[in-house]
Amino acid sequence: MAQQKPPGSGALPFEPVPCATLAVAGTEQRFPVRRIYCVGQNYRAHALEMGANPDREPPFFFMKPADAVRDDGAIIAYPPATHDLHHEVELVVAVGRAGAGIAAGTALAHVFGYAVGLDLTRRDLQAAARRIGRPWETSKAFDASAPIGALLPAVGRAMPAESAIRLHVQGELRQEATLAQLIWPVPEILAQLSTLFELMPGDLVFTGTPAGVGPLSVGDRLEAQIDGLPPLSVRIGPPASGTPAT
């Protein structure tokens, strides 16, 4: 019988999974992703369509795993365990400088750049979790649930408030707003988030979605745009297993 090596005495019996990265516009560089934070209900109309009161309920945070990221042009397999996959187009902020307890007035100094992203959501699982007060991970943190376009470096700069954010599905306009409609703008999001976690280079922050979220089907092409940023286009493919969602 072969003698087993003691723990720590040799190489792992598998190849470590590479760090997730994002394209950086205009360069060959890739932005290494550390964590993905998401802000809930940060557009008034979307908060209302989800049954919340934006005048009394401030945005809250949830997370996705770093390896949920997918690049522009990806084919996203329709995820298992759902019949109600929804789209949510969002401005994504990339953090390039560490900080905790950041003041809103200096928060933009921690920004590396911006991108347009999609927070894909298993809405039926989210609704079931809400009804019984359970966490949202199964509805938000599944494989390939965070497609993001190329990052546009913008160190220390804000996105213009008048920038339009839009999502077309199969050529049909589904979501449209401007960044001026964010309840909590980027500096305030980063300031509040940094009271809960120390932000680090490599962190991404999804800043919330406008009204108009809705279901997706296999074969749908999604085209996400924010004025001034590289666009994002992905397609919903068949389930990875080749069988319908359950």
Side-chain angles (χ1 to χ4, degrees):
M1 179 181 295
Q3 185 177 6
Q4 290 186 339
K5 293 181 180 180
S9 64
L12 292 171
F14 56 86
E15 289 294 324
V17 176
C19 171
T21 62
L22 278 176
V24 177
T27 77
E28 297 297 321
Q29 296 175 329
R30 303 283 300 182
F31 180 88
V33 180
R34 175 179 176 265
R35 294 180 180 175
I36 302 176
Y37 300 100
C38 304
V39 184
Q41 299 171 3
N42 201 25
Y43 283 82
R44 179 181 175 83
H46 174 61
L48 291 171
E49 81 177 344
M50 297 303 292
N53 183 343
D55 296 325
R56 291 189 300 169
E57 299 177 11
F60 53 90
F61 299 98
F62 58 93
M63 296 180 72
K64 291 177 180 276
D67 63 2
V69 164
R70 293 296 184 274
D71 278 329
D72 176 48
I75 297 176
I76 309 296
Y78 197 100
T82 184
H83 287 289
D84 199 19
L85 178 67
H86 274 213
H87 56 75
E88 299 187 8
V89 64
E90 308 199 13
L91 172 69
V92 178
V93 180
V95 175
R97 176 181 165 193
I102 298 168
T106 62
L108 291 179
H110 296 263
V111 172
F112 169 80
Y114 302 97
V116 61
L118 291 165
D119 169 15
L120 298 178
T121 302
R122 294 193 277 206
R123 191 71 74 200
D124 44 0
L125 299 190
Q126 184 186 40
R130 281 184 171 192
R131 283 195 297 270
I132 56 179
R134 289 185 178 174
W136 285 8
E137 275 84 356
T138 58
S139 67
K140 291 286 193 177
F142 55 92
D143 297 339
S145 61
I148 302 175
L151 286 169
L152 183 70
V155 177
R157 300 199 303 273
M159 285 290 295
E162 66 273 14
S163 299
I165 177 170
R166 303 183 185 88
L167 178 71
H168 290 81
V169 178
Q170 293 295 87
E172 173 194 356
L173 182 63
R174 292 275 189 93
Q175 293 182 263
E176 184 175 32
T178 69
L179 300 183
Q181 293 171 269
L182 285 165
I183 297 171
W184 293 69
V186 169
E188 294 181 21
I189 291 171
L190 297 181
Q192 183 173 347
L193 185 58
S194 73
T195 68
L196 301 170
F197 307 93
E198 182 177 9
L199 299 181
M200 299 294 290
D203 289 343
L204 300 174
V205 184
F206 278 70
T207 59
T209 194
V213 301
L216 295 167
S217 301
V218 172
D220 281 349
R221 179 166 294 281
L222 291 76
E223 296 171 305
Q225 300 169 318
I226 295 177
D227 289 348
L229 298 181
L232 169 66
S233 178
V234 298
R235 185 167 66 82
I236 304 300
S241 64
T243 59
T246 59

